[in-house]
Amino acid sequence: VAHLIQCVPNFSEGRDPAVISALVEAVRVTQGVALVDQSADADHHRCVLTFIGRASAVQAAALAAARQAVALIDLTRHVGAHPRIGALDVLPFVPLGETPMAECVDLARATGALLARELGLPVFLYEEAATVPERRNLAIVRGRGFEALREAMLHGECAPDFGPRLVHPTAGAVAVGARGPLTAYNIVLDTDDLSIAKEIAHGIRERDGGLPGVKALGLWLPSREQAQVSINITRPLETPIWLVYESVREAAAGYGVSVLESELIGAIRLEELVETARHYLKLPGLDRRRVLDLWAARLGSEDEENDGEG
Amino acid sequence: VAHLIQCVPNFSEGRDPAVISALVEAVRVTQGVALVDQSADADHHRCVLTFIGRASAVQAAALAAARQAVALIDLTRHVGAHPRIGALDVLPFVPLGETPMAECVDLARATGALLARELGLPVFLYEEAATVPERRNLAIVRGRGFEALREAMLHGECAPDFGPRLVHPTAGAVAVGARGPLTAYNIVLDTDDLSIAKEIAHGIRERDGGLPGVKALGLWLPSREQAQVSINITRPLETPIWLVYESVREAAAGYGVSVLESELIGAIRLEELVETARHYLKLPGLDRRRVLDLWAARLGSEDEENDGEG
């Protein structure tokens, strides 16, 4: 059975179409990977690519995109709503199906070493790939962002796992990790009052007694002049996306504010869609094995292979 | 590219586990088909198998299951909530992906001829496979069911497309067709008043001015002592399942009745789950290409093939 791995690099560029398409193309032309999604956001000034494949192909695609990011993105001229430390800001590897987490840990460390050597980036290993417990938490790794990191000397406790003791002048540093599934999900509120989004984020985040595995921030979207609750669901099979949506919707209603729309950044797991339909349609008997397209994708690919040999 | 076909035979047996598992096994052991779902219902006294594959494999599985149905099901002792004419009652073939409908029409007719010759069943071709316009409508083909058909002489306008002029004494007749996607969906109401289910069915069915492509019946479920709206959504990409659910929920609320739960019979298309999440989560940007499992199924199968070749 194939050991598939998902890779979800986040880049600090969400506006320039030429840069975004260079990043996308670097992945697209890599043999053996399937590009699942590209999400760019002008307000966050980030883009997120999602692709899958075996370890070696995924690593090749990640390195190819990283080269483009270091060449084309200048963090000294970057301002955005989202915390970040690098041009290629975060590079997580996620096991799919039966793939063991250890394989993603190995891949993160090997890829981190290559990024340091080839591109001169300080590399911080995080979450499952972390070498010290404090670095498991990405928020701590990112600290106060590129500007703070640039001033600091990366020695002692601050030393990166790989690479130079100074951040790259234009590309900063990078956090490379291995982690479980994560659903990046934003909910846009019909209000220009950022404090409401911040209060709602406070109410749903696990750290403050909210929903299991939920991280959340209230952010301001200048291009839309609206407030947004920006959410990471780090245990999407435990805390379903519909529960996050309903929690935000109800909390907003308490302020007399409605949800304008929500946005997914990157990919979603079929199980999350199944669980959403199960809930809203009161359809307990639904399960992923009943989704026709999944069987067709399997059988179709097998047949394509057979056709190719015939 | 593989031309995949979905087959959804409906059998008049929903209670005897030994018979149901004989039908299931007949499909499961057939090379080249994937069994997607088996749904048996004691009140409807029916079971529905859903499987996919290429034309030749799908035909082999359908014939294997039909042999079991004719051998094991005795319609003279069958009573159920659902209209039916045969042990193997309905045998539709549905194109998947890029498969042309014409391929399913050919397959329906060829399979119908084999069912008549080998098993002595009168075969009526329906919907896209119909040879006369009146037989496009399955409800007309089924007419008043097995008991009425048994008394009739199948001559002239009533003659089957293939097979004898008399129904099989225990297995009746069979409707074999080619059709587009159909979602079979039941909604159980928290009431023992069948007339409410019938009124709601009347309100949503296309024929009476309701939702496009929707067929609906109010049925009584003796085993649960509850009323059910039994629904076929024949254009599920035009009339989404959530709209059907919400229409029934709102109509029921008008009678002070709530929805207990809903049930899917057979398979569902990924697009329907995507559309459901899009609606309830106000997530317009969601589309099927963002579903990770679909890409993994494709890539995984390819890799398995490659592994097999060494």
Side-chain angles (χ1 to χ4, degrees), chain A residues 2 6 34 36-37 39 52 54 245 259 261-262 264 266-270 280-284 288-293 295-296 298-299 301-303 305-307 309, chain B residues 2 4 6 34 36-37 39 52 54 245 259 261-264 266-270 280-284 288-293 295-296 298-299 301 303 305-307 309:
Chain A
Q6 177 191 10
V36 175
D37 182 66
S39 293
I52 67 173
R54 294 218 229 191
Y245 175 83
V259 167
E261 66 172 34
S262 69
L264 188 67
I268 191 165
R269 280 171 159 67
L270 178 57
Y280 286 109
L281 305 178
K282 287 196 185 175
L283 188 49
R288 52 180 280 123
R289 284 168 301 180
R290 299 177 85 161
V291 179
L292 211 48
D293 308 61
W295 296 91
R298 276 185 208 144
L299 220 51
S301 296
E302 283 167 23
D303 273 8
E305 289 292 313
N306 291 339
D307 286 352
E309 291 153 24
Chain B
L4 292 175
Q6 177 191 11
V36 175
D37 182 66
S39 293
I52 67 172
R54 295 218 230 192
Y245 175 82
V259 168
E261 65 171 35
S262 69
E263 303 168 345
L264 188 68
I268 192 164
R269 282 171 158 67
L270 178 57
Y280 286 109
L281 304 178
K282 287 198 185 175
L283 189 49
R288 53 179 280 122
R289 285 168 302 179
R290 300 176 85 161
V291 179
L292 211 47
D293 308 61
W295 295 92
R298 276 186 206 141
L299 220 51
S301 297
D303 274 7
E305 288 293 312
N306 291 339
D307 287 350
E309 290 153 24

Coordinates of all heavy atoms in Angstrom, one line a residue, chain A residues 2 6 34 36-37 39 52 54 245 259 261-262 264 266-270 280-284 288-293 295-296 298-299 301-303 305-307 309, chain B residues 2 4 6 34 36-37 39 52 54 245 259 261-264 266-270 280-284 288-293 295-296 298-299 301 303 305-307 309:
Chain A
A2 N 0.5 2.2 -0.8 CA 1.2 3.5 -0.9 C 1.2 4.2 0.4 O 0.1 4.4 1.0 CB 0.7 4.3 -2.0
Q6 N 0.6 14.3 2.9 CA 0.0 15.6 2.5 C 1.0 16.7 3.0 O 1.6 16.6 4.0 CB -1.3 15.8 3.2 CG -2.0 17.2 2.9 CD -3.2 17.5 3.9 OE1 -3.4 16.7 4.8 NE2 -3.9 18.5 3.6
A34 N 0.1 15.3 -6.5 CA -1.2 15.9 -7.0 C -1.5 17.2 -6.2 O -1.5 17.2 -5.0 CB -2.3 14.9 -6.8
V36 N -3.8 19.6 -4.8 CA -5.2 19.6 -4.4 C -5.8 20.9 -4.3 O -6.9 21.1 -4.7 CB -5.3 18.9 -3.0 CG1 -6.7 18.9 -2.5 CG2 -4.8 17.5 -3.0
D37 N -5.1 21.9 -3.8 CA -5.6 23.2 -3.7 C -4.6 24.3 -3.6 O -3.5 24.1 -3.2 CB -6.5 23.3 -2.4 CG -7.2 24.6 -2.2 OD1 -8.0 25.0 -3.0 OD2 -6.8 25.4 -1.3
S39 N -4.8 28.3 -2.2 CA -5.7 29.4 -1.6 C -4.8 30.6 -1.3 O -3.8 30.5 -0.5 CB -6.3 28.9 -0.2 OG -7.2 27.9 -0.4
I52 N -0.3 16.3 -2.4 CA -0.1 15.0 -1.8 C 0.7 14.1 -2.7 O 0.8 14.4 -3.9 CB -1.4 14.2 -1.4 CG1 -2.2 13.8 -2.7 CG2 -2.3 15.1 -0.5 CD1 -3.4 12.9 -2.4
R54 N 3.9 10.5 -2.5 CA 4.8 9.8 -1.6 C 5.9 10.8 -1.1 O 6.1 11.8 -1.7 CB 5.5 8.7 -2.4 CG 4.4 7.7 -2.8 CD 5.0 6.3 -2.7 NE 4.8 5.5 -3.9 CZ 5.0 4.2 -4.0 NH1 5.5 3.6 -3.0 NH2 4.8 3.6 -5.2
Y245 N -18.8 26.1 13.1 CA -19.6 27.1 12.5 C -20.8 27.5 13.3 O -21.1 28.7 13.5 CB -20.1 26.5 11.1 CG -21.1 27.5 10.4 CD1 -20.7 28.5 9.6 CD2 -22.5 27.3 10.6 CE1 -21.6 29.4 9.0 CE2 -23.4 28.1 10.0 CZ -22.9 29.2 9.2 OH -23.8 30.0 8.6
V259 N -23.5 35.8 10.2 CA -22.3 35.3 9.4 C -22.6 35.6 8.0 O -23.6 35.3 7.4 CB -22.2 33.8 9.6 CG1 -21.2 33.2 8.6 CG2 -21.8 33.4 11.0
E261 N -20.2 34.7 5.4 CA -19.9 33.5 4.7 C -18.7 32.9 5.4 O -18.1 33.5 6.3 CB -19.6 33.7 3.2 CG -18.3 34.6 2.9 CD -17.9 34.6 1.5 OE1 -18.9 34.6 0.6 OE2 -16.7 34.6 1.2
S262 N -18.4 31.7 5.0 CA -17.2 31.1 5.6 C -16.2 30.7 4.4 O -16.7 30.6 3.3 CB -17.5 29.9 6.5 OG -18.0 28.8 5.8
L264 N -12.8 28.1 3.4 CA -11.9 27.0 3.7 C -10.5 27.4 3.1 O -10.4 27.9 1.9 CB -12.4 25.7 3.0 CG -11.7 24.4 3.3 CD1 -12.0 24.1 4.8 CD2 -12.3 23.4 2.4
G266 N -7.2 25.7 1.9 CA -6.7 24.4 1.6 C -7.7 23.3 1.5 O -8.9 23.6 1.1
A267 N -7.4 22.1 1.9 CA -8.2 21.0 1.6 C -9.1 20.6 2.8 O -9.0 21.2 3.9 CB -7.4 19.7 1.3
I268 N -10.1 19.7 2.5 CA -11.0 19.2 3.6 C -11.0 17.7 3.4 O -10.8 17.2 2.4 CB -12.4 19.9 3.5 CG1 -13.2 19.6 4.8 CG2 -13.1 19.5 2.2 CD1 -14.4 20.5 4.9
R269 N -11.2 17.0 4.6 CA -11.4 15.6 4.5 C -12.8 15.2 4.2 O -13.7 15.8 4.8 CB -10.9 15.0 5.9 CG -9.4 14.9 5.9 CD -8.9 14.5 7.3 NE -7.6 14.0 7.2 CZ -6.5 14.7 6.9 NH1 -6.6 16.0 6.6 NH2 -5.3 14.1 6.8
L270 N -13.0 14.1 3.5 CA -14.3 13.7 3.2 C -15.1 13.4 4.5 O -16.3 13.7 4.5 CB -14.2 12.4 2.4 CG -15.6 11.7 2.0 CD1 -16.5 12.7 1.2 CD2 -15.3 10.4 1.2
Y280 N -26.7 18.0 9.7 CA -27.8 18.9 9.3 C -29.0 18.1 8.7 O -30.1 18.6 8.8 CB -27.2 19.9 8.3 CG -26.4 21.0 8.9 CD1 -25.0 21.0 8.7 CD2 -26.9 21.9 9.7 CE1 -24.2 22.0 9.3 CE2 -26.2 22.9 10.3 CZ -24.8 22.9 10.1 OH -24.0 23.9 10.7
L281 N -28.7 17.0 8.1 CA -29.8 16.2 7.5 C -30.3 15.1 8.4 O -31.1 14.3 8.0 CB -29.3 15.6 6.1 CG -28.8 16.5 5.1 CD1 -28.3 15.7 3.8 CD2 -29.8 17.6 4.7
K282 N -29.8 15.1 9.6 CA -30.2 14.1 10.6 C -30.1 12.7 9.9 O -31.1 12.0 9.8 CB -31.7 14.3 11.1 CG -31.8 15.4 12.1 CD -33.1 15.3 12.8 CE -33.4 16.5 13.7 NZ -34.7 16.5 14.4
L283 N -28.9 12.4 9.4 CA -28.7 11.3 8.6 C -27.6 10.4 9.2 O -26.5 10.3 8.7 CB -28.3 11.8 7.2 CG -28.1 10.9 6.0 CD1 -29.3 10.0 5.8 CD2 -27.9 11.7 4.7
P284 N -28.0 9.7 10.3 CA -26.9 9.0 11.1 C -26.3 7.8 10.3 O -25.2 7.5 10.5 CB -27.7 8.5 12.3 CG -29.1 8.5 11.9 CD -29.3 9.6 11.0
R288 N -18.7 7.3 4.8 CA -17.9 7.6 3.6 C -17.9 6.5 2.6 O -17.6 6.8 1.4 CB -16.4 7.9 4.0 CG -15.8 6.9 4.9 CD -14.3 7.2 5.3 NE -13.4 6.9 4.2 CZ -12.6 7.8 3.6 NH1 -12.6 9.0 4.0 NH2 -11.8 7.4 2.6
R289 N -18.1 5.3 3.0 CA -18.1 4.2 2.0 C -19.3 4.3 1.0 O -19.3 3.6 0.0 CB -18.2 2.8 2.7 CG -16.9 2.5 3.3 CD -17.0 1.3 4.3 NE -18.0 1.6 5.3 CZ -18.4 0.8 6.3 NH1 -17.9 -0.4 6.4 NH2 -19.2 1.2 7.2
R290 N -20.3 5.2 1.3 CA -21.4 5.3 0.4 C -21.2 6.4 -0.6 O -22.1 6.7 -1.4 CB -22.7 5.6 1.3 CG -22.9 4.4 2.2 CD -24.1 4.7 3.1 NE -25.3 4.3 2.4 CZ -26.5 4.1 3.1 NH1 -26.5 4.2 4.4 NH2 -27.5 3.8 2.4
V291 N -20.0 7.0 -0.6 CA -19.8 8.1 -1.6 C -19.2 7.5 -2.8 O -18.1 6.9 -2.9 CB -18.8 9.1 -1.0 CG1 -18.5 10.2 -2.0 CG2 -19.4 9.7 0.3
L292 N -20.0 7.5 -3.9 CA -19.8 6.9 -5.1 C -18.4 7.3 -5.7 O -17.7 6.5 -6.3 CB -20.9 7.3 -6.1 CG -21.3 6.4 -7.2 CD1 -21.6 5.0 -6.7 CD2 -22.6 7.0 -7.8
D293 N -18.1 8.6 -5.7 CA -16.9 9.2 -6.3 C -15.6 8.5 -5.8 O -14.6 8.4 -6.5 CB -16.9 10.7 -6.1 CG -18.2 11.3 -6.6 OD1 -19.2 11.0 -5.9 OD2 -18.2 12.1 -7.5
W295 N -15.2 5.4 -4.8 CA -15.0 4.1 -5.5 C -14.7 4.3 -6.9 O -13.8 3.6 -7.5 CB -16.3 3.3 -5.3 CG -16.6 3.0 -3.9 CD1 -17.4 3.7 -3.1 CD2 -16.2 1.9 -3.2 NE1 -17.4 3.1 -1.9 CE2 -16.7 1.9 -1.9 CE3 -15.3 0.8 -3.5 CZ2 -16.4 1.0 -0.9 CZ3 -15.1 -0.2 -2.5 CH2 -15.6 -0.1 -1.2
A296 N -15.3 5.3 -7.6 CA -15.0 5.5 -9.0 C -13.5 6.0 -9.1 O -12.9 5.6 -10.1 CB -16.0 6.6 -9.5
R298 N -11.0 5.2 -7.3 CA -10.1 4.0 -7.1 C -10.2 3.1 -8.4 O -9.2 2.8 -9.0 CB -10.6 3.2 -5.9 CG -10.1 3.6 -4.7 CD -10.5 2.7 -3.5 NE -10.5 3.5 -2.3 CZ -11.3 3.3 -1.3 NH1 -12.3 2.4 -1.4 NH2 -11.3 4.1 -0.3
L299 N -11.4 2.8 -8.8 CA -11.6 1.9 -9.9 C -11.1 2.5 -11.2 O -10.5 1.9 -12.0 CB -13.1 1.5 -10.0 CG -13.4 0.1 -10.3 CD1 -12.8 -0.9 -9.4 CD2 -15.0 -0.1 -10.2
S301 N -8.7 4.8 -11.6 CA -7.3 4.8 -11.7 C -6.7 3.5 -12.0 O -5.8 3.4 -12.8 CB -6.7 5.3 -10.3 OG -7.1 6.6 -10.0
E302 N -7.3 2.4 -11.4 CA -6.8 1.1 -11.7 C -7.0 0.8 -13.2 O -6.1 0.3 -13.8 CB -7.6 0.1 -10.9 CG -7.1 0.0 -9.4 CD -8.1 -0.8 -8.6 OE1 -8.9 -1.6 -9.1 OE2 -8.1 -0.6 -7.4
D303 N -8.2 1.2 -13.7 CA -8.4 0.9 -15.1 C -7.5 1.7 -16.0 O -7.1 1.2 -17.0 CB -9.9 1.3 -15.4 CG -10.8 0.1 -15.1 OD1 -10.3 -0.9 -14.5 OD2 -12.0 0.1 -15.4
E305 N -4.5 2.6 -15.3 CA -3.3 1.9 -15.3 C -3.3 0.7 -16.3 O -2.4 0.4 -17.1 CB -2.9 1.4 -13.9 CG -2.5 2.4 -13.0 CD -1.2 3.1 -13.3 OE1 -0.3 2.3 -13.5 OE2 -1.1 4.3 -13.3
N306 N -4.4 -0.1 -16.2 CA -4.6 -1.3 -17.0 C -4.6 -0.9 -18.5 O -4.0 -1.5 -19.3 CB -5.8 -2.0 -16.6 CG -5.7 -2.7 -15.3 OD1 -4.6 -2.9 -14.8 ND2 -6.8 -3.0 -14.6
D307 N -5.3 0.2 -18.8 CA -5.4 0.7 -20.1 C -4.0 1.0 -20.7 O -3.6 0.6 -21.8 CB -6.2 2.0 -20.2 CG -7.7 1.7 -20.1 OD1 -8.1 0.5 -20.0 OD2 -8.5 2.6 -19.9
E309 N -1.2 -0.3 -19.9 CA -0.4 -1.4 -20.1 C -0.9 -2.2 -21.3 O -0.2 -3.0 -21.9 CB -0.5 -2.4 -18.9 CG 0.2 -1.8 -17.7 CD -0.3 -2.4 -16.4 OE1 -0.9 -3.5 -16.5 OE2 -0.2 -1.7 -15.4
Chain B
A2 N -11.4 4.8 -18.3 CA -12.3 3.8 -18.0 C -13.8 4.3 -18.1 O -14.1 5.4 -17.6 CB -12.1 3.2 -16.7
L4 N -16.9 3.8 -16.6 CA -17.5 3.2 -15.4 C -19.1 3.3 -15.4 O -19.6 4.3 -15.8 CB -17.0 3.7 -14.1 CG -15.5 3.4 -13.8 CD1 -15.0 4.2 -12.6 CD2 -15.3 1.9 -13.7
Q6 N -22.6 2.5 -13.0 CA -23.2 2.2 -11.7 C -24.4 1.3 -11.9 O -25.2 1.6 -12.8 CB -23.6 3.5 -11.0 CG -24.3 3.3 -9.6 CD -24.9 4.6 -9.1 OE1 -24.9 5.6 -9.8 NE2 -25.3 4.6 -7.8
A34 N -16.9 -3.1 -7.7 CA -16.8 -2.6 -6.3 C -18.2 -2.5 -5.8 O -19.0 -1.7 -6.3 CB -16.1 -1.3 -6.2
V36 N -20.6 -0.8 -3.5 CA -20.5 0.4 -2.7 C -21.5 0.4 -1.5 O -21.1 0.9 -0.5 CB -21.0 1.6 -3.7 CG1 -21.1 2.9 -2.9 CG2 -20.0 1.7 -4.8
D37 N -22.6 -0.2 -1.7 CA -23.6 -0.2 -0.6 C -24.6 -1.3 -0.7 O -24.9 -1.8 -1.8 CB -24.4 1.2 -0.6 CG -25.3 1.2 0.6 OD1 -24.9 1.3 1.7 OD2 -26.6 1.2 0.3
S39 N -28.4 -1.8 1.1 CA -29.4 -1.2 2.0 C -30.7 -2.1 2.0 O -31.3 -2.3 1.0 CB -29.9 0.2 1.6 OG -28.8 1.1 1.6
I52 N -20.3 -0.7 -8.8 CA -19.8 0.0 -10.0 C -18.7 -0.9 -10.7 O -18.1 -1.7 -10.0 CB -19.3 1.4 -9.7 CG1 -18.0 1.4 -8.9 CG2 -20.4 2.3 -9.1 CD1 -17.4 2.7 -8.7
R54 N -16.9 -1.7 -14.9 CA -17.1 -1.6 -16.4 C -18.3 -2.4 -16.8 O -18.7 -3.3 -16.1 CB -15.8 -2.1 -17.1 CG -14.6 -1.2 -16.8 CD -13.8 -1.1 -18.1 NE -12.4 -1.4 -17.8 CZ -11.4 -1.1 -18.7 NH1 -11.7 -0.6 -19.9 NH2 -10.2 -1.4 -18.4
Y245 N -34.7 18.1 2.2 CA -34.8 17.9 3.6 C -35.4 19.2 4.2 O -36.4 19.0 5.1 CB -33.4 17.7 4.2 CG -33.4 17.7 5.7 CD1 -33.7 16.5 6.4 CD2 -33.1 18.8 6.5 CE1 -33.8 16.5 7.8 CE2 -33.2 18.8 7.9 CZ -33.5 17.6 8.5 OH -33.6 17.6 9.9
V259 N -38.9 16.2 12.3 CA -38.2 15.1 11.6 C -37.4 14.3 12.6 O -36.6 14.8 13.4 CB -37.2 15.7 10.5 CG1 -36.3 14.6 10.0 CG2 -38.0 16.3 9.4
E261 N -35.4 11.4 11.7 CA -34.1 11.2 11.1 C -34.4 11.0 9.6 O -35.5 10.8 9.2 CB -33.4 10.0 11.7 CG -34.0 8.7 11.5 CD -33.1 7.5 11.9 OE1 -32.4 7.7 12.9 OE2 -33.1 6.5 11.3
S262 N -33.3 11.0 8.8 CA -33.5 10.7 7.4 C -32.6 9.5 7.1 O -31.7 9.1 7.9 CB -33.2 11.9 6.5 OG -31.8 12.2 6.6
E263 N -32.8 8.9 6.0 CA -32.1 7.7 5.6 C -31.7 7.8 4.1 O -32.6 8.2 3.3 CB -32.9 6.4 5.7 CG -33.5 6.1 7.0 CD -34.6 5.0 7.0 OE1 -35.0 4.7 5.8 OE2 -34.9 4.5 8.0
L264 N -30.6 7.3 3.8 CA -30.2 7.2 2.4 C -30.3 5.8 2.0 O -29.8 4.9 2.7 CB -28.7 7.7 2.3 CG -28.1 7.9 0.9 CD1 -28.8 9.0 0.2 CD2 -26.6 8.1 1.1
G266 N -28.8 3.3 -0.7 CA -27.8 3.2 -1.7 C -26.7 4.3 -1.5 O -26.5 4.8 -0.4
A267 N -26.2 4.8 -2.6 CA -25.0 5.6 -2.6 C -25.4 7.1 -2.7 O -26.6 7.4 -3.0 CB -24.1 5.3 -3.7
I268 N -24.4 8.0 -2.5 CA -24.6 9.4 -2.7 C -23.4 9.9 -3.5 O -22.3 9.3 -3.4 CB -24.8 10.1 -1.3 CG1 -25.3 11.6 -1.5 CG2 -23.5 10.1 -0.5 CD1 -25.8 12.2 -0.3
R269 N -23.7 11.0 -4.2 CA -22.6 11.6 -5.0 C -21.8 12.6 -4.1 O -22.5 13.3 -3.3 CB -23.1 12.2 -6.2 CG -23.4 11.2 -7.3 CD -24.1 11.8 -8.5 NE -23.9 11.0 -9.7 CZ -24.3 9.8 -9.9 NH1 -25.0 9.2 -8.9 NH2 -24.1 9.1 -11.0
L270 N -20.5 12.7 -4.3 CA -19.7 13.6 -3.5 C -20.3 15.0 -3.7 O -20.4 15.8 -2.8 CB -18.3 13.6 -4.0 CG -17.3 14.6 -3.3 CD1 -17.3 14.4 -1.8 CD2 -15.9 14.4 -3.8
Y280 N -25.1 24.8 4.3 CA -25.3 25.0 5.7 C -24.2 25.8 6.4 O -24.4 26.5 7.3 CB -25.5 23.7 6.4 CG -26.8 23.0 6.2 CD1 -26.9 21.9 5.4 CD2 -28.0 23.5 6.8 CE1 -28.1 21.3 5.2 CE2 -29.2 22.9 6.6 CZ -29.3 21.8 5.8 OH -30.5 21.2 5.6
L281 N -23.0 25.7 5.8 CA -21.8 26.4 6.4 C -21.6 27.7 5.7 O -20.6 28.4 5.9 CB -20.5 25.5 6.3 CG -20.6 24.1 7.0 CD1 -19.3 23.4 6.8 CD2 -20.9 24.3 8.5
K282 N -22.5 28.1 4.8 CA -22.3 29.3 4.0 C -20.9 29.4 3.4 O -20.1 30.3 3.6 CB -22.5 30.6 4.8 CG -24.0 30.8 5.1 CD -24.2 32.3 5.6 CE -25.6 32.5 6.0 NZ -25.8 33.9 6.6
L283 N -20.5 28.3 2.7 CA -19.1 28.1 2.2 C -19.1 28.0 0.7 O -18.9 26.9 0.1 CB -18.7 26.8 2.9 CG -17.2 26.3 2.8 CD1 -16.3 27.4 3.2 CD2 -17.0 25.1 3.7
P284 N -19.3 29.1 0.0 CA -19.5 29.1 -1.4 C -18.2 28.6 -2.1 O -18.3 28.0 -3.2 CB -19.8 30.5 -1.8 CG -19.3 31.3 -0.7 CD -19.5 30.5 0.6
R288 N -15.5 20.1 -5.1 CA -15.1 18.7 -4.9 C -13.6 18.5 -5.0 O -13.0 17.5 -4.5 CB -15.8 17.8 -5.8 CG -15.7 18.2 -7.3 CD -16.5 17.2 -8.2 NE -15.7 16.1 -8.5 CZ -16.1 14.8 -8.3 NH1 -17.2 14.6 -7.8 NH2 -15.3 13.8 -8.6
R289 N -12.9 19.4 -5.8 CA -11.5 19.2 -5.9 C -10.7 19.4 -4.7 O -9.5 19.1 -4.6 CB -11.0 20.2 -7.0 CG -11.4 19.7 -8.4 CD -11.1 20.8 -9.4 NE -11.9 22.0 -9.1 CZ -11.9 23.1 -9.8 NH1 -11.1 23.3 -10.8 NH2 -12.6 24.1 -9.4
R290 N -11.3 20.0 -3.7 CA -10.6 20.3 -2.4 C -10.8 19.1 -1.4 O -10.3 19.2 -0.3 CB -11.2 21.5 -1.8 CG -10.9 22.7 -2.7 CD -11.5 24.0 -2.2 NE -10.6 24.6 -1.3 CZ -10.7 25.9 -0.9 NH1 -11.7 26.6 -1.4 NH2 -9.8 26.4 -0.1
V291 N -11.4 18.0 -1.9 CA -11.6 16.9 -1.0 C -10.4 16.0 -1.1 O -10.2 15.3 -2.1 CB -12.9 16.1 -1.3 CG1 -13.1 14.9 -0.4 CG2 -14.1 17.1 -1.1
L292 N -9.6 15.9 0.0 CA -8.4 15.2 0.0 C -8.5 13.7 -0.4 O -7.7 13.2 -1.1 CB -7.8 15.3 1.4 CG -6.4 15.4 1.7 CD1 -5.7 16.3 0.8 CD2 -6.2 15.7 3.2
D293 N -9.5 13.1 0.1 CA -9.7 11.6 0.0 C -9.8 11.2 -1.5 O -9.4 10.1 -1.9 CB -10.9 11.1 0.7 CG -10.9 11.6 2.2 OD1 -10.9 12.8 2.4 OD2 -10.8 10.7 3.1
W295 N -8.3 12.6 -4.1 CA -6.9 12.6 -4.7 C -6.2 11.4 -4.1 O -5.4 10.8 -4.9 CB -6.2 13.9 -4.3 CG -6.9 15.1 -5.0 CD1 -7.8 15.9 -4.4 CD2 -6.6 15.6 -6.3 NE1 -8.2 16.9 -5.3 CE2 -7.5 16.7 -6.5 CE3 -5.8 15.2 -7.3 CZ2 -7.5 17.5 -7.6 CZ3 -5.8 16.0 -8.5 CH2 -6.7 17.1 -8.6
A296 N -6.3 11.2 -2.8 CA -5.6 10.0 -2.2 C -6.1 8.7 -2.9 O -5.3 7.8 -3.1 CB -5.8 10.0 -0.7
R298 N -7.2 8.3 -5.9 CA -6.6 8.2 -7.2 C -5.1 7.8 -7.1 O -4.6 6.8 -7.7 CB -6.7 9.5 -7.9 CG -8.0 9.7 -8.6 CD -8.0 11.0 -9.4 NE -9.4 11.4 -9.5 CZ -9.8 12.7 -9.5 NH1 -8.9 13.6 -9.3 NH2 -11.0 12.9 -9.6
L299 N -4.4 8.6 -6.4 CA -2.9 8.4 -6.3 C -2.6 7.0 -5.6 O -1.7 6.3 -6.0 CB -2.4 9.5 -5.4 CG -1.0 10.1 -5.8 CD1 -1.0 10.5 -7.3 CD2 -0.7 11.3 -5.0
S301 N -4.4 4.2 -5.7 CA -4.7 3.1 -6.6 C -3.5 3.0 -7.6 O -3.1 1.9 -7.9 CB -6.0 3.3 -7.3 OG -7.0 3.3 -6.4
D303 N -0.5 3.9 -7.2 CA 0.6 3.4 -6.5 C 0.5 1.9 -6.2 O 1.5 1.2 -6.4 CB 0.9 4.2 -5.2 CG 1.7 5.4 -5.5 OD1 1.9 5.7 -6.7 OD2 2.1 6.1 -4.5
E305 N -1.1 -0.2 -8.0 CA -0.8 -0.8 -9.3 C 0.7 -0.9 -9.5 O 1.2 -1.9 -9.9 CB -1.4 0.0 -10.5 CG -2.9 -0.1 -10.5 CD -3.4 -1.5 -10.9 OE1 -2.9 -2.1 -11.9 OE2 -4.3 -2.0 -10.2
N306 N 1.4 0.2 -9.3 CA 2.8 0.3 -9.5 C 3.5 -0.7 -8.6 O 4.4 -1.5 -9.0 CB 3.4 1.7 -9.3 CG 2.9 2.6 -10.4 OD1 2.5 2.2 -11.4 ND2 2.9 3.9 -10.1
D307 N 3.1 -0.8 -7.3 CA 3.7 -1.7 -6.4 C 3.5 -3.1 -6.9 O 4.4 -3.9 -6.8 CB 2.9 -1.6 -5.0 CG 3.3 -0.4 -4.3 OD1 4.3 0.3 -4.7 OD2 2.7 0.0 -3.3
E309 N 3.4 -4.2 -9.8 CA 4.3 -4.5 -11.0 C 5.7 -4.6 -10.5 O 6.6 -5.1 -11.3 CB 4.2 -3.4 -12.0 CG 2.9 -3.4 -12.7 CD 2.5 -2.0 -13.2 OE1 3.5 -1.2 -13.4 OE2 1.3 -1.7 -13.4

